[in-house]
Amino acid sequence: MTHRKVLVVDDERGVRESIRILLKGQYDVTLAVNGRDAIAKFPQVRPDVVLLDLRLGDMHGIEVLQHIKSQDPNVEVILVTAYASLETARKALHLGAFDYLTKPYDLHELQQMVRLGIERREKTRRESRILETYQHDLTTLRQEVESAKSRISKHVRDTIFALLTGLEMRDAYSGQHSMAVLWLVDHFAQFLGLPPEDRTRLKRAALVHDLGKIGIPEDILNKPEPLSGNDLLAMQTHPILSAELIATVGALSDLAPIVRAHHERWDGQGYPDKLAGEQIPWEAQILAICDAVHAMSGDRCYRARLPESTIRRELISQRGRQFKPECVDMMLASTLIREIYQAEDAGTMVLTPQQIRQVLDDTPELDDEDLGEMPPLAQQVARLSLRGG
Ligand SMILES: [Fe+2]
């Protein structure tokens, strides 16, 4: 076993030698003749315990103590003083000295104190080793959790992306419709001055709101006439299916109530839960009007796209019936009904797979638009009103 190391700092040769003779059997002893010598030898020796005379020829022991502690706070320092003023002792202990001996001291007492100093040093070493191991384990664990979380979110995104692709393969209209509604809610949310986190939430909800149609038979999805009877009932289960699918996906599960409610009506005559007014999540109120605007502005298998004037009239007639009144007012105040035709014809609302993945991402990065100007007051008021605030 390697010997523990003791640095003895005393400007009296006789004292140094007697201590060396006393300790040399048990420890590796190094002698320093004054403060500067001690400071120079300290980094090479790296002692476990320092026996430090307070009165040195060149500097005060307290200065040496401060220097040593700044190099290694765990080294144990025993002060030796001829005049045990309480103030000096207090200061020394405050600066981290282990203990102090008053001259003249008993050699046995000195030996005993060095032993205790060494024991404490070893205890500190053991504790810091345990702490290091613990911290290392903790860091490793955190890294593993983070990497598992990011793998899970990637799988989630890939799964949803695969489901969306599957839906589009069965029903090309639904895939395009989801992207168009995403485009609409995003622009409508911007018009309303909603903050970036609400926009992200709405965009995600738009992307997945009709995902449940993957569970609806293909002949119903593509029927060239408006649905009725059992076909209509089957089709009306799609918000429930969308919500159930999303509820199983941790990162997107909070969207489940929104997608479930996207066919509810302000007057309580919607489906599947016949929610009315503010019982409908505010995001679903926005989603509902955007969903309807796109449905009317696009060609369907059972009819051609409706002109802008018809859509406007339809929205007015459904104000306070199908839609929240303020939603209708704000949609009509915007230029989105006109813009959606242009965007659709120009294909600017079609997203790349990469963009779709980004929308589904856990921590979407803010873009320049998000960091833009604060919305005008009127838009803020509209936002509060829309959110039922
Ligand atoms: Fe739908």
Side-chain angles (χ1 to χ4, degrees), residues 93-134:
L93 293 175
H94 177 71
L95 292 171
F98 171 58
D99 210 338
Y100 64 97
L101 277 169
T102 314
K103 283 180 183 173
Y105 49 80
D106 179 47
L107 284 179
H108 176 71
E109 193 188 352
L110 181 138
Q111 213 167 10
Q112 174 81 349
M113 201 170 277
V114 170
R115 189 173 60 76
L116 290 174
I118 294 284
E119 279 174 11
R120 189 157 99 165
R121 173 72 161 164
E122 283 174 351
K123 185 165 173 268
T124 313
R125 270 214 186 94
R126 277 198 303 276
E127 285 171 354
S128 56
R129 266 200 300 271
I130 291 169
L131 198 68
E132 264 171 37
T133 315
Y134 173 72

